[in-house]
Structure formats: C-alpha cells, structure tokens
Amino acid sequence: DETGAVARLLHAGWAVAPGARFRLGAPPGIRVTVSTLTADEAGPLAEAIASASGPAPVRGYV
C-alpha cells in the first residue's frame, strides 16, 4: 500500500514521496532520495522502510 507506507514513514519522521508520479507502468512503490543521508541514518531508514512496507497495524475500537 503505497499511500499507507508513505504515511507510516512520515509518522516515523521520514519524508518520502509516493511513486505514482514517477512511474508509467510499474507497480506501486515509494521514492526515497538518499543524497543527504548520513551513514548513521542508513540503518534506521532501512528499518523504517521495512516496517512501513509490511501490513498496517490492526486497530481495535473500544
């Protein structure tokens, strides 16, 4: 879910773009620019992307 992944990453403090405006026929994805990423940020970003690209958390209503 491209939109959900972008929202979860933004909530985690990472700004990424939905891939829709950058593709013509590819499946959903996100666009990540890493030109200013430091070596210390690479691991946390990779973990955040892995977490955001999984299933959305289940929420219960009370």
Side-chain angles (χ1 to χ4, degrees), residues 6 9-17 31-33 45:
V6 170
L9 284 163
L10 183 58
H11 183 72
W14 298 100
V16 301
R31 174 112 175 176
V32 180
T33 302
L45 175 58

Side-chain angles (χ1 to χ4, degrees), residues 21-41:
R21 61 183 159 178
F22 301 103
R23 69 171 179 266
L24 296 174
I30 59 171
R31 174 112 175 176
V32 180
T33 302
V34 296
S35 61
T36 61
L37 194 70
T38 66
D40 291 340
E41 295 170 321

Side-chain angles (χ1 to χ4, degrees), residues 8 50-58:
R8 287 189 291 277
S51 178
S53 62
V58 176

